[in-house]
Amino acid sequence: MAPLTEYAANRDLDASPEPGATASDADVPIFVIQQHDAQTLHYDFRLAVGGVLVSWAVPKGPSTDPSEKRLALRTENHPLDYADFEGVIPKGHYGAGPVLVWDTGPYRNLRAKKEDASVSMEQALDDGKIEVDLEGEKIKGGYALIRTDDAEDRWLLIKMDDEHADARRHPTSTEPESVLSGRTIDDLAQEAGADDE
Ligand code: MN
């Protein structure tokens, strides 16, 4: 299947404000974490790999505490242009509800520079073992994404133990604002409220 077939099939892209299904290349690989208040509130964690955003839905969002394992359900790839999408997906559409850019920045593949073996992001995805260094505003340092044995789509997002690990921080509750606009998910919902009633 082409990398964005599922994305396009799930949406009416003429009627949704979301970006079209075009793959493109970024010079520096980026990550984005979007807060999304769809049927249930969750965080979409996305990594640019091979011209698309490989994506997971993380119900509780990322933790900065290495002892917390956060469930991450692999979802369909998204176009790179989705990384700065913020807005409200209209009612009746796939994923209806407000989306904001909770954190974003460049990332590095930590498995690319091990002495014993150099593992590409594509290979790491296949292996079910990703290790990346994130340089966001709220989220920094090493994170591992590990595929669980019980199902293809179930992964765990875990903070690696480094100088950015901090069990006392809870950025999903203390820093809810968009890093692009300063708005909260409620601000977005209220702005769209007029045509939502
Ligand atoms: Mn979502």
Side-chain angles (χ1 to χ4, degrees), residues 72-114:
L73 300 162
R74 179 100 187 257
T75 57
E76 79 270 34
N77 297 335
H78 278 49
L80 278 188
D81 283 350
Y82 212 93
D84 56 11
F85 173 70
E86 189 165 282
V88 178
I89 302 170
K91 270 193 175 166
H93 288 266
Y94 184 74
V99 176
L100 66 73
V101 177
W102 185 77
D103 203 11
T104 188
Y107 83 84
R108 270 185 316 118
N109 171 15
L110 292 172
R111 297 189 66 197
K113 50 182 301 186
K114 298 251 164 93

Side-chain angles (χ1 to χ4, degrees), residues 1-151:
M1 205 185 332
L4 292 171
T5 304
E6 195 180 343
Y7 175 87
N10 279 334
R11 291 174 173 73
D12 177 358
L13 290 166
D14 293 329
S16 172
E18 298 166 289
T22 310
S24 47
D25 283 313
D27 296 341
V28 178
I30 54 120
F31 80 96
V32 63
I33 301 170
Q34 279 156 318
Q35 191 183 12
H36 183 191
D37 193 7
Q39 282 179 329
T40 55
L41 183 73
H42 61 275
Y43 294 78
D44 289 299
F45 181 83
R46 313 187 197 278
L47 292 170
V49 180
V52 298
L53 293 170
V54 176
S55 300
W56 292 263
V58 183
K60 291 185 174 176
S63 177
T64 54
D65 179 352
S67 71
E68 289 268 339
K69 296 177 170 64
R70 294 284 161 92
L71 179 66
L73 300 162
R74 179 100 187 257
T75 57
E76 79 270 34
N77 297 335
H78 278 49
L80 278 188
D81 283 350
Y82 212 93
D84 56 11
F85 173 70
E86 189 165 282
V88 178
I89 302 170
K91 270 193 175 166
H93 288 266
Y94 184 74
V99 176
L100 66 73
V101 177
W102 185 77
D103 203 11
T104 188
Y107 83 84
R108 270 185 316 118
N109 171 15
L110 292 172
R111 297 189 66 197
K113 50 182 301 186
K114 298 251 164 93
E115 313 79 33
D116 47 336
S118 177
V119 177
S120 68
M121 283 299 292
E122 285 86 350
Q123 185 61 50
L125 255 179
D126 279 356
D127 290 355
K129 184 180 176 220
I130 290 170
E131 292 176 358
V132 285
D133 183 74
L134 307 177
E135 226 181 286
E137 287 184 30
K138 302 170 186 174
I139 294 295
K140 294 179 193 293
Y143 277 80
L145 270 155
I146 309 292
R147 189 168 57 217
T148 66
D149 291 332
D150 41 314

